[in-house]
C-alpha cells in the first residue's frame, strides 16, 4: 500500500508534467507560425526581387570640415558655372552646402543635412534653382522627420505651383548624398541601390540603381591615377516608369568617379545638374593666379 504522502507527491508531479507540456505546445505553435511567415516572406522576395530592401550605408568615412571649388562644364569642355562646396560638422550631424553660379546668372544651390552615427540618414534637403539655364524655377524642401516634401515651381509661362505632400520616406534617401554614400560602400561593391525623392512639380520616390564599371585611368599633372566608375540608373517605377521610355522621357544615366580607398573623394560627375537641368560634368577645380613677370616677383 502506497502512503498518502507519496500519492500526493505523485499527483503533484503529474500535474507539473502536464503543465510543462501545455507551456511547450503554445511555444511550438508560435515557432511554427513564425517559421511559416518567414518562409512565405522569403518566397515573396524571391519571386519579386523589387521588394528587397535598399541599402542603408554604414559609416566608414565620416564627413568633416572642408571647402572646395568645382566647375560645371558642357560636353565641349566649356565652363558653364563655377561652384563651391562647404562642409561642416556638429556632433553626429553634418551639413553640405553646394552652390553653382552660371555665366548667364542662373543659380543652383543645395543644402543637405544628415546624421552619421552608425549609418548615414538624411535629415533635410533644400534645393533652389532659377535662371535661364533651367526649364523652370524651383524650390524644394525635404523634411524626413515630418515625412513632408514641399515643391514650389514656376513654369515657362510664369504659372506658379506650390505642392506640399506627406510621404512615406524610406531610410535610404540619397538626396544630396550620392557621392557621400558611394565613398562609403567600398570600391569592391558591384551593385547597390538607394532611394531618392524626385522633386519635380509632382514629388515621388524613385530608385537609383548603381553599378560599378571598374577602374578607369586619369592623371594629375604627370602622375597617373585610377578611379572607380559608377553608372547611376534611375528607375521611376509604376505606370510613369512604363510610359517614360515610350514617350522619350526616360531619365538619362548619371556617371560618377570615386578615387581613393583610405580617404575616398569624388573626382568627376557626368549628367544633369538637376531634374530637367543642364547636362554636363562636375570636376574639382584649383585656384588660378594671375601671371606675374619676373619683375613683379618679390
Amino acid at each position: 500500500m502506497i502512503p498518502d504522502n507519496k500519492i500526493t507527491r505523485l499527483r503533484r508531479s503529474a500535474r507539473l508534467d502536464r503543465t510543462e507540456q501545455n507551456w511547450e505546445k503554445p511555444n511550438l505553435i508560435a515557432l511554427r507560425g513564425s517559421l511559416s511567415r518567414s518562409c512565405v516572406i522569403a518566397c515573396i522576395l524571391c519571386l519579386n526581387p523589387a521588394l528587397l530592401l535598399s541599402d542603408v550605408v554604414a559609416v566608414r568615412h565620416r564627413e568633416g570640415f572642408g571647402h572646395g571649388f568645382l566647375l560645371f562644364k558642357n560636353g565641349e569642355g566649356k565652363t558653364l558655372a563655377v561652384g563651391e562646396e562647404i562642409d561642416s560638422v556638429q556632433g553626429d550631424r553634418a551639413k553640405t552646402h553646394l552652390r553653382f553660379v552660371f555665366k548667364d546668372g542662373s543659380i543652383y544651390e543645395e543644402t543637405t543635412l544628415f546624421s552619421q552615427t552608425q549609418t548615414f540618414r538624411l535629415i533635410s534637403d533644400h534645393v533652389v534653382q532659377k535662371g535661364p539655364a533651367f526649364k523652370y524655377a524651383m524650390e524644394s524642401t525635404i523634411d524626413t522627420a515630418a515625412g513632408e516634401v514641399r515643391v514650389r515651381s514656376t513654369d515657362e509661362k510664369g504659372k506658379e505651383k506650390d505642392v506640399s505632400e506627406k510621404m512615406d520616406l524610406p531610410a535610404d534617401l540619397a538626396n544630396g548624398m550620392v557621392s557621400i554614400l558611394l565613398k562609403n560602400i567600398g570600391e569592391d561593391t558591384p551593385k547597390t541601390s538607394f532611394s531618392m525623392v524626385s522633386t519635380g512639380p509632382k514629388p515621388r520616390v524613385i530608385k537609383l540603381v548603381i553599378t560599378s564599371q571598374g577602374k578607369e585611368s586619369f592623371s594629375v599633372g604627370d602622375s597617373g591615377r585610377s578611379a572607380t566608375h559608377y553608372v547611376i540608373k534611375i528607375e521611376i517605377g509604376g505606370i510613369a516608369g512604363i510610359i517614360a521610355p515610350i514617350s522619350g522621357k526616360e531619365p538619362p544615366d548619371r556617371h560618377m568617379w570615386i578615387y581613393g580607398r583610405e580617404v575616398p573623394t569624388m573626382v568627376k560627375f557626368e549628367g544633369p545638374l538637376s531634374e530637367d537641368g543642364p547636362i554636363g560634368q562636375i570636376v574639382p577645380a584649383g585656384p588660378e593666379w594671375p601671371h606675374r613677370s619676373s619683375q613683379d616677383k618679390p
Side-chain angles (χ1 to χ4, degrees):
M1 187 173 179
I2 301 175
D4 290 343
N5 58 348
K6 190 171 184 179
I7 291 173
T8 301
R9 286 197 301 272
L10 288 172
R11 288 174 177 170
R12 186 181 297 115
S13 177
R15 283 197 301 271
L16 289 171
D17 289 342
R18 285 195 298 272
T19 301
E20 290 174 358
Q21 291 173 4
N22 290 335
W23 275 104
E24 290 173 358
K25 285 180 181 178
N27 290 339
L28 288 172
I29 292 171
L31 180 60
R32 291 191 192 103
S34 177
L35 290 173
S36 299
R37 286 191 295 273
S38 299
C39 290
V40 170
I41 292 170
C43 290
I44 292 173
L45 292 176
C46 288
L47 291 172
N48 188 359
L51 294 178
L52 289 169
L53 295 177
S54 299
D55 300 325
V56 177
V57 178
V59 176
R60 296 184 181 184
H61 308 283
R62 290 173 62 90
E63 295 296 302
F65 291 91
H67 192 159
F69 300 97
L70 301 165
L71 296 177
F72 182 71
K73 300 182 176 184
N74 63 13
E76 290 74 41
K78 181 181 179 181
T79 298
L80 301 179
V82 176
E84 288 186 69
E85 180 178 329
I86 300 174
D87 304 321
S88 58
V89 180
Q90 186 173 7
D92 290 328
R93 292 191 171 193
K95 182 170 72 172
T96 297
H97 181 73
L98 177 66
R99 178 181 171 88
F100 280 99
V101 179
F102 286 72
K103 290 185 176 181
D104 64 7
S106 301
I107 299 289
Y108 178 86
E109 194 166 8
E110 182 170 19
T111 304
T112 306
L113 180 65
F114 58 94
S115 63
Q116 49 179 357
T117 49
Q118 295 181 343
T119 59
F120 289 99
R121 294 293 181 95
L122 179 68
I123 297 173
S124 65
D125 186 63
H126 180 245
V127 176
V128 175
Q129 65 178 42
K130 56 186 177 181
F134 302 93
K135 290 185 178 180
Y136 53 86
M138 185 270 295
E139 180 179 5
S140 67
T141 303
I142 301 171
D143 185 340
T144 59
E148 186 175 12
V149 177
R150 184 174 185 181
V151 180
R152 303 183 210 178
S153 59
T154 305
D155 63 18
E156 300 91 338
K157 298 180 181 179
K159 184 179 179 181
E160 296 183 358
K161 189 175 183 180
D162 192 340
V163 177
S164 182
E165 290 192 10
K166 288 286 187 179
M167 300 179 68
D168 186 13
L169 300 176
D172 66 334
L173 279 185
N175 289 74
M177 298 175 60
V178 175
S179 62
I180 294 169
L181 298 178
L182 286 182
K183 288 190 297 184
N184 283 268
I185 66 169
E187 58 184 16
D188 299 326
T189 303
K191 191 173 184 178
T192 188
S193 65
F194 309 127
S195 299
M196 176 175 278
V197 175
S198 172
T199 53
K202 174 65 176 176
R204 72 178 70 194
V205 176
I206 59 175
K207 188 68 65 177
L208 303 182
V209 179
I210 303 172
T211 307
S212 172
Q213 303 298 300
K215 295 286 190 178
E216 291 188 7
S217 299
F218 71 100
S219 62
V220 179
D222 296 329
S223 176
R225 310 292 171 92
S226 63
T228 304
H229 174 197
Y230 295 96
V231 175
I232 306 168
K233 291 186 176 293
I234 294 179
E235 294 184 353
I236 301 174
I239 297 176
I242 298 172
I243 296 175
I246 301 171
S247 62
K249 294 184 178 180
E250 188 173 18
D253 292 345
R254 278 76 164 161
H255 300 260
M256 190 172 288
W257 286 260
I258 302 293
Y259 167 73
R261 181 183 290 270
E262 293 183 2
V263 186
T265 185
M266 186 198 79
V267 289
K268 187 168 72 167
F269 167 83
E270 287 185 358
L273 185 59
S274 64
E275 187 174 337
D276 291 327
I279 296 176
Q281 64 175 230
I282 298 173
V283 292
E288 296 181 2
W289 302 93
H291 176 71
R292 288 169 28 167
S293 66
S294 57
Q295 296 178 352
D296 296 330
K297 293 181 180 179

